[in-house]
Amino acid sequence: MARYTGPVCKLCRREGVKLFLKGDKCIQKCTLDRRSTRPGQHGASRARKESVYGKLWREKQRVRRTYGVLERQFSKHFEEAARRPGKTSENLLQILEMRLDNLVYRLGFADSRAQARQLVNHGHFEVNGRKTDIPSFIAKPNDVITVREHSKSMEYFKARALLLDQKSIPSWLSLDKDALSGRVLSLPSRAELELPFDEQLVIEYYQR
């Protein structure tokens, strides 16, 4: 499966905003705090005036890179959001938030979405009792995400269990720290999400 494997700090510099692609490490130490210019040899040159299209495209890139989704899959998520009843922008965020890799990250089982994606790919999680190793799997309310029994004996998950008390879990999720299990209580609303972008501009980009 194709994925971005380059330096993620370069993505934050290009977008000019912290995307927290390394999780808590971005709070403690961030390249953007030291070098706020765009990457590349011309990054420090005077910025050109951005067009309306450029602004919309840039916002779409911020959303896509925040969730670690490649272009083709992101377009599919938008098409699904547009088909659903309700506000397309909120539908899109809900689809992205209900991806299995994002839920593993939100529940505190990983420090970043990239790390969560790797854990899912390696088959360490099950959804409703069934092994699920597809990071793009879309969960639903009342679905239960659990660390698989054989994975709980790994040093990584033993150490992670001790750190869960320090993690802040969103109100639309619940966590059983002893069982290393989480449940989706409901779809998240926009007010419950603190995100560094304006998703409405993404909708305008696709509807232009």
Side-chain angles (χ1 to χ4, degrees):
M1 182 181 68
R3 59 190 176 90
Y4 177 77
T5 58
V8 295
C9 290
K10 182 183 288 187
L11 300 182
C12 293
R13 287 178 60 201
R14 181 60 190 90
E15 302 307 332
V17 64
K18 288 186 180 183
L19 302 178
F20 296 98
L21 301 180
K22 291 184 177 179
D24 292 343
K25 291 182 181 179
C26 295
I27 300 174
Q28 302 161 4
K29 184 179 180 182
C30 180
T31 303
L32 194 63
D33 293 334
R34 304 192 310 272
R35 302 175 65 187
S36 58
T37 57
R38 293 174 299 168
Q41 63 179 352
H42 301 298
S45 61
R46 188 174 64 182
R48 293 177 295 178
K49 184 177 180 180
E50 193 172 47
S51 65
V52 174
Y53 170 82
K55 183 179 180 181
L56 299 179
W57 184 80
R58 189 84 271 147
E59 203 68 12
K60 185 263 297 182
Q61 292 293 86
R62 287 187 183 125
V63 178
R64 188 174 67 77
R65 286 170 170 170
T66 295
Y67 288 96
V69 181
L70 295 182
E71 187 64 47
R72 185 175 180 182
Q73 194 165 45
F74 190 79
S75 297
K76 289 182 178 180
H77 287 332
F78 170 78
E79 292 169 3
E80 172 61 25
R83 285 194 295 267
R84 293 185 180 185
K87 195 174 181 180
T88 303
S89 58
E90 188 159 344
N91 290 343
L92 178 60
L93 284 184
Q94 289 175 346
I95 290 172
L96 293 169
E97 286 289 328
M98 298 297 276
R99 284 172 55 100
L100 182 56
D101 54 359
N102 182 75
L103 291 173
V104 168
Y105 164 68
R106 292 290 192 190
L107 288 167
F109 295 133
D111 290 324
S112 66
R113 292 179 177 88
Q115 186 182 39
R117 191 174 306 115
Q118 185 179 47
L119 291 172
V120 173
N121 272 327
H122 289 177
H124 295 301
F125 291 90
E126 58 187 29
V127 179
N128 299 331
R130 298 185 63 178
K131 176 186 174 183
T132 307
D133 57 5
I134 303 174
S136 60
F137 174 85
I138 305 298
K140 303 181 295 298
N142 294 319
D143 279 355
V144 177
I145 297 94
T146 309
V147 176
R148 298 186 70 202
E149 202 61 39
H150 82 280
S151 298
K152 291 179 181 178
S153 59
M154 295 174 55
E155 288 302 319
Y156 172 83
F157 286 107
K158 288 180 179 179
R160 180 58 53 174
L162 300 176
L163 297 174
L164 290 179
D165 285 329
Q166 305 171 21
K167 296 293 181 179
S168 177
I169 307 300
S171 59
W172 48 278
L173 296 174
S174 67
L175 175 66
D176 185 337
K177 299 170 186 176
D178 296 327
L180 291 181
S181 175
R183 179 184 293 273
V184 180
L185 301 178
S186 64
L187 294 174
S189 66
R190 184 59 178 93
E192 294 175 299
L193 302 173
E194 296 181 7
L195 300 168
F197 47 72
D198 181 358
E199 66 281 359
Q200 186 56 43
L201 296 181
V202 180
I203 307 306
E204 293 178 23
Y205 169 83
Y206 282 108
Q207 294 180 340
R208 71 192 189 285

